Amino acid sequence: MSKQKTILSGIQPSGKLHIGNYFGAMRQHIRMQEEGDAFYFLANYHSLTSVSDGGLLKEYTTDVVLDYLALGLDPEKCTFFAQSDVPQTTELAWILGCLTPVSLMEKGVAYKDKVANGLSPNIGLFTYPILQAADILIYHSDLVPVGEDQKQNIEIARDLAGKLNRACDKELLNIPEDYILKSVATVPGIDGRKMSKSYGNTINIFAEGKALKKRVMSIQTDSKALEDPKDPDTCNVFALIKLFADEPKRQEIADQYRAGGYGYGHAKKELLDLILGYFAEARERRKELEKNMDYVHDVLRNGGKKARKRAETVMKPIREATGLIRSFEY
Ligand code: ADP
Ligand code: TRP
């Protein structure tokens, strides 16, 4: 029997998760827990590159754990943990950093974007891809399901694994396959740009009541009158409806758009109901989990223990090969 593939992915707890994160990443993570030996983690060291308030980071971290568990991540089927529970990650990141030319990091797209936008980036942001490479390589990952925007970071991880193997003349690290989630279209935000925390245009997965209504009602549309026929394919509201509605419902709404006499207000009301219905069960589960934080902390504690154990088996030969002495055991 062939060995199960190790699947790994992470998400930064750096704000409330939105429906772009769900359809673009989390849904696939949850599906893939059935398909291999899956490791999913909260990239809280990475969040430090943008969040400096400790209380806030803890709050975001708890939110993301609750979100994933409520949406169907099953800690019996995968290893779910916090990056900061695996200190071997930063240890490997340092070793990889010592093999990384500064010029490679200077080509980093995310880094270059921040500079172009006038931000003065910190060193953590500059070396972000090295830490991400360590995340991937420390578990001998085979598949790393991420969106198109992460492609460069996966390439860097492959590159750095090769550099360490060559430097030590040993297969110390597995070279992961490129695995980009292509099926996922970019989810638009309420202003039509890519939905993103950094644009303030998100609809959060677990928003409800007035807050959710306000977000949905403020989705930008053109100014066609109620009676005018409308094109569903160029409408932000319909782009979101498509994610939540089944095929017959999608068709029905598209026909109404084209026929005229169906306003954007109608479409927004439809979208609101669809969102509420789609996440209804998960919302209930999240509320139950919130009352049971001991269980939630246990999940992370157990996940961290498993992840550290795996990471240590990979790190030990690397310490040997690089000549780092270690006079204690984890
Ligand atoms: P944000 O842009 O809100 O900061 P992140 O960069 O933290 O989101 O993304 C986390 C994950 O969610 C990534 O895998 C990314 O590809 C996915 N993702 C984020 N926004 C979208 C979107 N609008 N459409 C599809 N996927 C998205
Ligand atoms: N950079 C990823 C993002 O912003 C998060 C991340 C950190 C990650 N380490 C990772 C994703 C390792 C996959 C594998 O979405």
Side-chain angles (χ1 to χ4, degrees):
M1 208 179 78
S2 66
K3 185 182 145 286
Q4 266 204 329
K5 294 217 174 191
T6 298
I7 298 166
L8 170 122
S9 199
I11 198 153
Q12 286 190 71
S14 55
K16 298 246 182 238
L17 297 181
H18 52 74
I19 59 180
N21 296 136
Y22 179 70
F23 288 104
M26 301 168 85
R27 186 170 64 164
Q28 285 77 312
H29 295 165
I30 292 164
R31 284 186 183 155
M32 288 181 80
Q33 67 187 344
E34 316 280 345
E35 292 166 21
D37 186 12
F39 283 67
Y40 297 124
F41 69 97
L42 307 148
N44 53 356
Y45 284 136
H46 280 109
S47 294
L48 286 180
T49 61
S50 61
V51 182
S52 55
D53 176 329
L56 207 54
L57 181 57
K58 276 198 185 149
E59 194 185 306
Y60 290 153
T61 307
T62 308
D63 271 340
V64 177
V65 180
L66 289 170
D67 289 353
Y68 261 104
L69 293 175
L71 290 164
L73 198 85
D74 180 350
E76 300 293 320
K77 291 188 181 151
C78 67
T79 305
F80 186 38
F81 62 102
Q83 189 184 31
S84 57
D85 269 335
V86 188
Q88 290 91 342
T89 310
T90 46
E91 192 182 357
L92 179 60
W94 179 258
I95 296 170
L96 295 175
C98 294
L99 297 168
T100 309
V102 171
S103 58
L104 182 65
M105 292 298 101
E106 281 169 343
K107 291 189 196 117
V109 177
Y111 169 73
K112 283 200 298 193
D113 275 358
K114 304 259 161 154
V115 177
N117 282 315
L119 282 176
S120 117
N122 52 53
I123 287 289
L125 196 78
F126 185 62
T127 58
Y128 184 116
I130 303 178
L131 182 58
Q132 183 160 350
D135 288 328
I136 296 169
L137 302 172
I138 197 75
Y139 308 106
H140 278 337
S141 307
D142 298 301
L143 299 175
V144 189
V146 285
E148 190 73 39
D149 58 334
Q150 297 293 308
K151 196 174 170 60
Q152 188 185 34
N153 288 349
I154 310 296
E155 274 309 312
I156 291 174
R158 289 160 56 87
D159 191 5
L160 295 185
K163 280 192 198 305
L164 183 71
N165 290 348
R166 281 191 301 280
C168 297
D169 198 18
K170 250 192 177 143
E171 288 299 303
L172 293 165
L173 292 172
N174 185 44
I175 306 212
E177 287 166 39
D178 207 346
Y179 190 92
I180 302 295
L181 297 166
K182 292 223 171 57
S183 56
V184 188
T186 299
V187 177
I190 61 171
D191 59 357
R193 290 188 292 171
K194 174 190 169 224
M195 187 175 287
S196 170
K197 291 186 276 280
S198 37
Y199 297 150
N201 63 356
T202 60
I203 297 175
N204 295 337
I205 300 171
F206 290 112
E208 55 186 339
K210 277 194 189 141
L212 176 63
K213 191 165 177 199
K214 202 165 159 219
R215 296 305 274 177
V216 171
M217 291 303 160
S218 54
I219 299 173
Q220 288 177 16
T221 58
D222 61 30
S223 52
K224 284 207 173 79
L226 174 74
E227 55 279 10
D228 292 341
K230 302 176 180 67
D231 180 5
D233 298 326
T234 55
C235 175
N236 291 328
V237 185
F238 191 75
L240 294 172
I241 287 178
K242 273 203 303 201
L243 297 167
F244 293 98
D246 57 19
E247 188 46 39
K249 186 86 193 158
R250 242 182 264 173
Q251 199 53 52
E252 181 194 317
I253 299 174
D255 291 345
Q256 285 175 301
Y257 262 76
R258 293 193 183 99
Y262 182 82
Y264 291 121
H266 295 127
K268 288 177 180 177
K269 175 74 183 56
E270 192 80 65
L271 174 62
L272 185 63
D273 291 344
L274 282 166
I275 297 177
L276 285 171
Y278 193 92
F279 292 124
E281 263 180 46
R283 188 172 285 115
E284 285 315 303
R285 258 201 309 272
R286 198 180 190 287
K287 286 182 181 150
E288 284 309 305
L289 285 162
E290 262 180 89
K291 291 188 218 146
N292 201 353
M293 289 309 289
D294 285 349
Y295 164 77
V296 174
H297 292 134
D298 276 351
V299 165
L300 288 188
R301 192 172 312 115
N302 293 335
K305 200 168 166 187
K306 266 174 77 185
R308 270 196 307 281
K309 205 166 161 203
R310 168 82 75 98
E312 187 56 16
T313 62
V314 177
M315 225 17 244
K316 238 183 174 154
I318 297 177
R319 283 188 212 110
E320 285 283 317
T322 50
L324 291 168
I325 57 161
R326 167 56 51 100
S327 45
F328 71 94
E329 300 265 330
Y330 270 115

